[in-house]
C-alpha cells in the first residue's frame, strides 16, 4: 500500500500513518504543537474537555441540521423537485459549524459551490435555502442562483462560487478592503483541494501573503476533485507545503471533532485578525456522497468510505452526548425537531411561487433595480 | 479650457475622483513606483501613498479578483491593465464574477469597479499585443463598456465611470495617450451611454469609436474633397449602445459605414450593423459596410500591419461605395 492510499483509506485508525506521512512530506508542525488529528491530539484539544454539554448539544444539532437538510435535498432531487447540479456537504458539516461558531460580527465566509452547509450553519433559513434549490421566488437569492450560488450577506455568507478557484482572489479582495478600512474583520475562504492547482488560487494566495491580509484560506480536502483522487492531482500530499512560498501560516489536521476544529481554527483566525498573519489551513475530511447527485462514487472502495465513517464528527458528537448522559429519547427528540424543520422547509419550498417572469431582468446593472 | 494629452486627462480624472472619494483606489502593474507603464498614473503614488495606489505583481486574475472583492466590500477600485491583451488571463474574473455577482446575489452586492487600459493595436507589436477586446467585453450583460478617443471624453467619461455603481470596461489606446485636445475647466462629467457627433454631415453616416475616430475623420475630409458630406458619430459607449444617435443620423443620410479597430466576425461592429438594419431598414439606400481589421492575426512587419489595420483610404472606398460613387 502506497503512502497515498494509506492516508486516503485509513483515516480513522491511522494517526501514526498521518504522522509518518506528514513528516515524510516535510510538513512544519503547527505552531501550537497540536497533533494532526484535531480531536485526538493533546489532551487540552479534546472536544469534550473544552465544551459544556449544552455547547456540545448545540454544535451537534447544527451539524445534524446540515446533514438532514442535505439528505432531504437529495430526496427532493430524486423526486424531480430540484434540477441542475446538487453537491452535498454530508461528512463535512463540522467545518461549517466550527467556522460559524468562531466568527465575529463582520467576518465573512467565501466558499465553493458546495455551499448549503455554510448557509445553514450561518443561520440562513432552511426554508429559504430549500426554496432556492427548488428555484422559487422565496429562495435565498430569489431563485436565480440555485444550489451552487448561495449568498447571504447579512449572515456573513459572501458567496458560493461555482468556478473552481475563481473566488480565491475575490476573497483576498474582501480582506484587502478590511485592511484598507481597518474594520477588524477576517475573511474565511474555503476551497476544495482540487482548487489548489488552478492559477487564480495561487495568485490570490500570493497577494494575501504579500500584503499580509486578514484572511484564512481553508482547504477542505475531501481527497477527491470530482472523481480524481489527490494522488493524481498533486505531486505532494500535504498541500500546506505550498504555504511558506506565500508567507502564509499553515496548519493541517483531520476533522474528526467539531469543538477541537473550532478552537484550533479560532486561534489561527485571531492571528490573521490581529497579527497580520494570513494562513493556509488544510482540513482532511470526507464527503460520504458522490461529487454531485449524478456521481455514484465508484472510484472509491466501500472499505475507504466505511473507514472515514468512523471519524465522522457527527457520529462522534452523538457518542459524546451519550457519554454525557443523553438518552436515546433525548437524541431522538433532537433529531425529530431537525427532521420536522426540514420537512417544513420542503413544504415551504413546495408552496412557494416561482420567480415572476420579470425577475429575470433584475440586478444585472444597478439601473435594473426598481 | 486647458489643452491636455489623453493621458493627462485620464490622470486628472483619477486624481479628482480620488480626492473626492476616499474609497477610490488604483491597483495594477507598475501604477505606483514606476508611475504607470504609460504614465497615466504619474504622481499619484506620491500624492496618495501606497494604501491607495497599489502596485501588484504580474497577476491579472489575482488583482482583478482583488478589485472585485474590494468593490463588493464597498471600495471603488480602478483596476489598470497594462494592456487589455493581458486582461485575457483575468477574463474569468470579469465574466463570471464582476458581471454576475450582483445578479447571482439577487442584488445583495454592488460592484462599482473600473477596469481600464489601452486596447486594440498599437504599432508593430504583433498578434498577442494588438487585439481589440470589444467583441469579448460587449458580448455579455452585467457590464458597461466605454471607449474614448479625445482628451475631453477621456476625462469626462472616466470620472463618470468611477462614480458609476456598475462594473465598467474602459478602453484607451497606447498610440493615443499623447493626443492633445481641449478639456473644459472645472467639474467635467460626460454621461455614459451617449454618442457624440464629432463631425456633422448629410451624405453618409460614419459610425466609429476609439482609434477608429481619427481614421473616420480623415476619411470624411477626403470624401468632402470629392463633394461627399459625412457625419461622423463617435459612439464613446459601446454597451449600452446609443441607438438613437445612430438611427437619427442614418434617417438623415440613408447610408452607414462603420470604421473601427477590431475583427469583423461578430462583435460591436456587427451589433451596430444589426441594429441599424432592424431599426431603420426602410431608411437605408445601401448595405451597411464595415471597415475594420482583416480577419487575421496581426502581423509584426510594418507593411503587413498597415494592410490589416483600417486606413482612411479603405474607409473612403466604403464611403464611396455606399454613396454609389464610381472611381
Amino acid at each position: 500500500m502506497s503512502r497515498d492510499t494509506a492516508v486516503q483509506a485509513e483515516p480513522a485508525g491511522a494517526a501514526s500513518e498521518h504522522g509518518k506521512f506528514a513528516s515524510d512530506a516535510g510538513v512544519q508542525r503547527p505552531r501550537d504543537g497540536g497533533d494532526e488529528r484535531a480531536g485526538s491530539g493533546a489532551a487540552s484539544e479534546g472536544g469534550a474537555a473544552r465544551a459544556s454539554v449544552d455547547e456540545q448539544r448545540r454544535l451537534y444539532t447544527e451539524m445534524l441540521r446540515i446533514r438532514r437538510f442535505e439528505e432531504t435535498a437529495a430526496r427532493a432531487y430524486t423526486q424531480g423537485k430540484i434540477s441542475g447540479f446538487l453537491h452535498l456537504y454530508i461528512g463535512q458539516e463540522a467545518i461549517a459549524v466550527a467556522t460559524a461558531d468562531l466568527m465575529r460580527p463582520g467576518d465573512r465566509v467565501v466558499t465553493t459551490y458546495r455551499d448549503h452547509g455554510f448557509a445553514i450553519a450561518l443561520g440562513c433559513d432552511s426554508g429559504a435555502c430549500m426554496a432556492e434549490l427548488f428555484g422559487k421566488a422565496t429562495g435565498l437569492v430569489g431563485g436565480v442562483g440555485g444550489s451552487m450560488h448561495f449568498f447571504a450577506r447579512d449572515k456573513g455568507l459572501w458567496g458560493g462560487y461555482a468556478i473552481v478557484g475563481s473566488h480565491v482572489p475575490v476573497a483576498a479582495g474582501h480582506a484587502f478592503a478590511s485592511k484598507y478600512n481597518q474594520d477588524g474583520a477576517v475573511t474565511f475562504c474555503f476551497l476544495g483541494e482540487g482548487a489548489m492547482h488552478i492559477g487564480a488560487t495561487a495568485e490570490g494566495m500570493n497577494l494575501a501573503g504579500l500584503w499580509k491580509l486578514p484572511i484564512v484560506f481553508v482547504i477542505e480536502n475531501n481527497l477527491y476533485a470530482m472523481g480524481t483522487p489527490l494522488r493524481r492531482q498533486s505531486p505532494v500530499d500535504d498541500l500546506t507545503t505550498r504555504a511558506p512560498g506565500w508567507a502564509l501560516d499553515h496548519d493541517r489536521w483531520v476533522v474528526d471533532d467539531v469543538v477541537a476544529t473550532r478552537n484550533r481554527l479560532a486561534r489561527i483566525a485571531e492571528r490573521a485578525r490581529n497579527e497580520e498573519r494570513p494562513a493556509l489551513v488544510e482540513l482532511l475530511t470526507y464527503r460520504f456522497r458522490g461529487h454531485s447527485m449524478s456521481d455514484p462514487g465508484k472510484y472509491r472502495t466501500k472499505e475507504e468510505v466505511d473507514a472515514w465513517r468512523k471519524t465522522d464528527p457527527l457520529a462522534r458528537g452523538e457518542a459524546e452526548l451519550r457519554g454525557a448522559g443523553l438518552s436515546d429519547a433525548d437524541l431522538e427528540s433532537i433529531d425529530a425537531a431537525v427532521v420536522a424543520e426540514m420537512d417544513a422547509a420542503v413544504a415551504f419550498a413546495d408552496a412557494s411561487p416561482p420567480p415572476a417572469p420579470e425577475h429575470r431582468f433584475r440586478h444585472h446593472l444597478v439601473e435594473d433595480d426598481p | 479650457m486647458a489643452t491636455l494629452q489623453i493621458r493627462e486627462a485620464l490622470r486628472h480624472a483619477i486624481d479628482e475622483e480620488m480626492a473626492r472619494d476616499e474609497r477610490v483606489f488604483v491597483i495594477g502593474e507598475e501604477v505606483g513606483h514606476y508611475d504607470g507603464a504609460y504614465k497615466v498614473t504619474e504622481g499619484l503614488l506620491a500624492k496618495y501613498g501606497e494604501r491607495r495606489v497599489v502596485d501588484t505583481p504580474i497577476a491579472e486574475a489575482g488583482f482583478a479578483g482583488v478589485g472585485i472583492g474590494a468593490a463588493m466590500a464597498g471600495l471603488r477600485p480602478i483596476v489598470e491593465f497594462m494592456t487589455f491583451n493581458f486582461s485575457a488571463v483575468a477574463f474569468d474574473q470579469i465574466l463570471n464574477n464582476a458581471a454576475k455577482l450582483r445578479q447571482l446575489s439577487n442584488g445583495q452586492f454592488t460592484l462599482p469597479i473600473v477596469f481600464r487600459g489601452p486596447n486594440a493595436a498599437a504599432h508593430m507589436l504583433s498578434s498577442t499585443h494588438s487585439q481589440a477586446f470589444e467583441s469579448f467585453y460587449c458580448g455579455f450583460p452585467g457590464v458597461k463598456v466605454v471607449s474614448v478617443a479625445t482628451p475631453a471624453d477621456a476625462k469626462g467619461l472616466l470620472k463618470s465611470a468611477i462614480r458609476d455603481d456598475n462594473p465598467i470596461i474602459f478602453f484607451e489606446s497606447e498610440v493615443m495617450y499623447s493626443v492633445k485636445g481641449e478639456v473644459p475647466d472645472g467639474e467635467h462629467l460626460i454621461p455614459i451611454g451617449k454618442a457624440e457627433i464629432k463631425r456633422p454631415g448629410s451624405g453618409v453616416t460614419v459610425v466609429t469609436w476609439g482609434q477608429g475616430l481619427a481614421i473616420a475623420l480623415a476619411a470624411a475630409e477626403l470624401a468632402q474633397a470629392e463633394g461627399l458630406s459625412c457625419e461622423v458619430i463617435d459612439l464613446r459607449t459601446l454597451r449600452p449602445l446609443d441607438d438613437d444617435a445612430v438611427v437619427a443620423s442614418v434617417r438623415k443620410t440613408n447610408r452607414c459605414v462603420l470604421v473601427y479597430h477590431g475583427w469583423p466576425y461578430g462583435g460591436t461592429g456587427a451589433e451596430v450593423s444589426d441594429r441599424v438594419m432592424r431599426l431603420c431598414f426602410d431608411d437605408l439606400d445601401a448595405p451597411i459596410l464595415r471597415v475594420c481589421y482583416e480577419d487575421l492575426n496581426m502581423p509584426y512587419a510594418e507593411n503587413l500591419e498597415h494592410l490589416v489595420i483600417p486606413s482612411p483610404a479603405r474607409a473612403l472606398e466604403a464611403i464611396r461605395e455606399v454613396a454609389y460613387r464610381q472611381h
Side-chain angles (χ1 to χ4, degrees):
Chain A
M1 184 181 282
S2 73
R3 286 188 294 131
D4 305 53
T5 48
V7 74
Q8 294 198 0
E10 294 184 49
S16 60
E17 283 289 338
H18 280 296
K20 168 177 176 288
F21 168 74
S23 57
D24 284 352
V27 70
Q28 288 187 30
R29 304 304 294 180
R31 287 171 193 270
D32 56 5
D35 188 81
E36 293 249 314
R37 296 186 61 214
S40 59
S44 62
E45 289 283 343
R50 297 174 66 91
S52 68
V53 175
D54 281 351
E55 192 175 18
Q56 287 184 61
R57 188 208 313 260
R58 178 172 56 79
L59 296 172
Y60 168 77
T61 304
E62 287 302 297
M63 291 192 290
L64 187 64
R65 287 180 67 232
I66 296 171
R67 181 148 313 179
R68 294 287 183 248
F69 178 90
E70 297 290 57
E71 290 168 349
T72 305
R75 264 197 311 280
Y77 191 91
T78 58
Q79 292 166 351
K81 295 180 176 180
I82 299 171
S83 290
F85 296 132
L86 186 69
H87 308 88
L88 302 178
Y89 203 55
I90 290 172
Q92 302 177 220
E93 300 93 336
I95 297 168
V97 171
T99 305
D101 207 51
L102 66 85
M103 284 169 64
R104 297 189 182 184
D107 287 355
R108 310 175 179 97
V109 164
V110 182
T111 189
T112 71
Y113 47 83
R114 201 177 299 282
D115 53 7
H116 315 157
F118 280 101
I120 298 292
L122 288 167
C124 296
D125 177 67
S126 51
C129 293
M130 195 65 73
E132 187 58 39
L133 303 183
F134 281 41
K136 297 299 183 72
T138 55
L140 198 62
V141 287
V144 297
S147 165
M148 300 189 288
H149 311 100
F150 276 18
F151 289 82
R153 182 179 192 159
D154 61 332
K155 306 289 188 190
L157 179 57
W158 281 51
Y161 284 76
I163 304 293
V164 172
S166 181
H167 64 305
V168 176
V170 174
H174 301 334
F176 177 94
S178 283
K179 185 164 185 171
Y180 192 99
N181 291 328
Q182 293 293 302
D183 68 8
V186 168
T187 298
F188 296 88
C189 177
F190 293 84
L191 58 151
E193 85 287 351
M196 286 301 289
H197 321 301
I198 195 164
T201 297
E203 294 186 28
M205 290 188 182
N206 183 58
L207 294 174
L210 178 67
W211 294 331
K212 298 181 168 57
L213 302 179
I215 190 165
V216 180
F217 298 106
V218 183
I219 305 165
E220 295 186 76
N221 183 357
N222 62 21
L223 304 174
Y224 292 89
M226 200 165 158
T228 303
L230 184 62
R231 64 180 174 275
R232 289 201 287 117
Q233 301 174 45
S234 171
V236 297
D237 299 293
D238 178 352
L239 297 171
T240 65
T241 56
R242 299 178 193 180
W246 297 316
L248 300 173
D249 276 8
H250 54 98
D251 199 354
R252 180 176 192 253
W253 66 89
V254 176
V255 178
D256 56 3
D257 177 60
V258 65
V259 175
T261 292
R262 178 197 64 187
N263 295 350
R264 196 154 161 177
L265 193 56
R267 286 195 294 275
I268 294 163
E270 292 319 298
R271 288 195 291 263
R273 190 189 312 277
N274 301 317
E275 300 174 33
E276 295 199 324
R277 284 167 60 180
L280 175 62
V281 176
E282 181 179 359
L283 300 183
L284 294 157
T285 183
Y286 205 74
R287 58 169 158 75
F288 293 123
R289 299 294 187 103
H291 168 71
S292 69
M293 285 299 290
S294 61
D295 169 22
K298 287 181 177 171
Y299 42 82
R300 316 189 292 194
T301 63
K302 181 173 182 301
E303 290 71 29
E304 180 182 309
V305 177
D306 287 345
W308 276 96
R309 285 199 187 280
K310 292 175 191 159
T311 58
D312 180 359
L314 185 69
R316 181 192 181 115
E318 183 182 327
E320 287 187 349
L321 286 174
R322 285 184 194 282
L326 269 70
S327 65
D328 283 352
D330 294 333
L331 290 162
E332 282 165 16
S333 159
I334 292 171
D335 193 35
V338 170
V339 168
E341 179 195 350
M342 300 313 155
D343 288 346
V346 168
F348 172 77
D350 266 332
S352 293
E358 58 271 21
H359 195 71
R360 72 190 191 280
F361 299 117
R362 297 278 300 277
H363 305 310
H364 289 78
L365 299 173
V366 294
E367 294 89 326
D368 302 332
D369 301 358
Chain B
M1 288 274 192
T3 300
L4 299 177
Q5 294 182 347
I6 286 180
R7 69 160 54 82
E8 294 168 328
L10 294 166
R11 185 188 312 141
H12 288 194
I14 296 170
D15 187 2
E16 288 175 18
E17 293 307 302
M18 287 183 76
R20 177 178 175 269
D21 187 343
E22 212 221 336
R23 298 170 298 175
V24 178
F25 71 98
V26 179
I27 184 169
E29 293 155 4
E30 311 292 6
V31 296
H33 290 276
Y34 193 87
D35 265 336
Y38 295 101
K39 306 302 171 202
V40 170
T41 56
E42 190 172 29
L44 295 178
L45 174 67
K47 183 168 180 181
Y48 294 101
E50 290 185 339
R51 175 170 170 257
R52 298 182 66 196
V53 181
V54 183
D55 279 324
T56 70
I58 300 166
E60 277 79 10
F63 67 75
V66 164
I68 290 163
M72 291 169 75
L75 301 182
R76 305 184 76 87
I78 303 168
V79 178
E80 177 173 308
F81 291 121
M82 193 180 291
T83 132
F84 264 94
N85 292 286
F86 304 160
S87 79
V89 294
F91 188 63
D92 170 63
Q93 290 296 329
I94 298 172
L95 173 72
N96 284 313
N97 291 337
K100 293 190 173 53
L101 284 167
R102 183 171 180 80
Q103 184 241 4
L104 279 174
S105 67
N106 208 28
Q108 293 178 50
F109 289 98
T110 302
L111 287 104
I113 183 168
V114 178
F115 299 96
R116 52 155 290 273
N119 177 54
H123 182 53
M124 295 181 74
L125 297 176
S126 190
S127 55
T128 61
H129 280 52
S130 304
Q131 301 169 103
F133 276 78
E134 294 92 312
S135 56
F136 304 114
Y137 291 118
C138 291
F140 51 88
V143 298
K144 296 179 182 177
V145 182
V146 173
S147 178
V148 295
T150 70
D153 288 348
K155 182 176 182 186
L157 279 161
L158 184 54
K159 282 171 69 79
S160 293
I162 295 166
R163 293 188 194 184
D164 200 285
D165 282 334
N166 297 294
I168 311 280
I169 310 294
F170 195 94
F171 291 132
E172 303 154 12
S173 163
E174 277 117 310
V175 294
M176 291 169 68
Y177 280 129
S178 299
V179 166
K180 287 182 179 174
E182 291 198 325
V183 178
D185 296 326
E187 190 83 314
H188 172 57
L189 290 157
I190 294 172
I192 291 171
K194 292 291 175 196
E196 186 181 65
I197 296 172
K198 287 292 201 297
R199 176 189 171 111
S202 57
V204 175
T205 298
V206 181
V207 178
T208 188
W209 63 90
Q211 284 190 64
L213 178 63
I215 303 164
L217 289 173
E221 197 64 34
L222 295 172
Q224 191 64 53
E226 298 177 5
L228 255 175
S229 166
C230 292
E231 179 150 285
V232 177
I233 297 180
D234 179 359
L235 290 175
R236 303 195 296 189
T237 299
L238 308 181
R239 185 183 182 101
L241 270 174
D242 188 353
D243 293 336
D244 292 345
V246 176
V247 168
S249 180
V250 173
R251 290 217 160 110
K252 183 170 64 178
T253 64
N254 312 114
R255 293 163 174 83
C256 184
V257 170
L258 288 142
V259 178
Y260 60 96
H261 271 238
W263 286 300
Y265 195 118
T268 307
E271 178 68 25
V272 174
S273 176
D274 169 74
R275 292 190 191 202
V276 170
M277 185 275 292
R278 280 189 289 114
L279 298 174
C280 51
F281 182 76
D282 289 338
D283 296 290
L284 284 171
D285 285 345
I288 302 158
L289 295 184
R290 292 191 280 148
V291 181
C292 55
Y293 294 164
E294 294 179 311
D295 196 15
L296 302 170
N297 288 330
M298 191 68 73
Y300 166 75
E302 190 169 38
N303 65 320
L304 299 182
E305 184 181 64
H306 282 168
L307 291 168
V308 174
I309 290 175
S311 62
R314 267 170 62 195
L316 178 63
E317 279 178 39
I319 290 165
R320 287 172 181 154
E321 190 172 337
V322 298
Y324 302 108
R325 292 288 184 96
Q326 301 299 319
H327 261 266

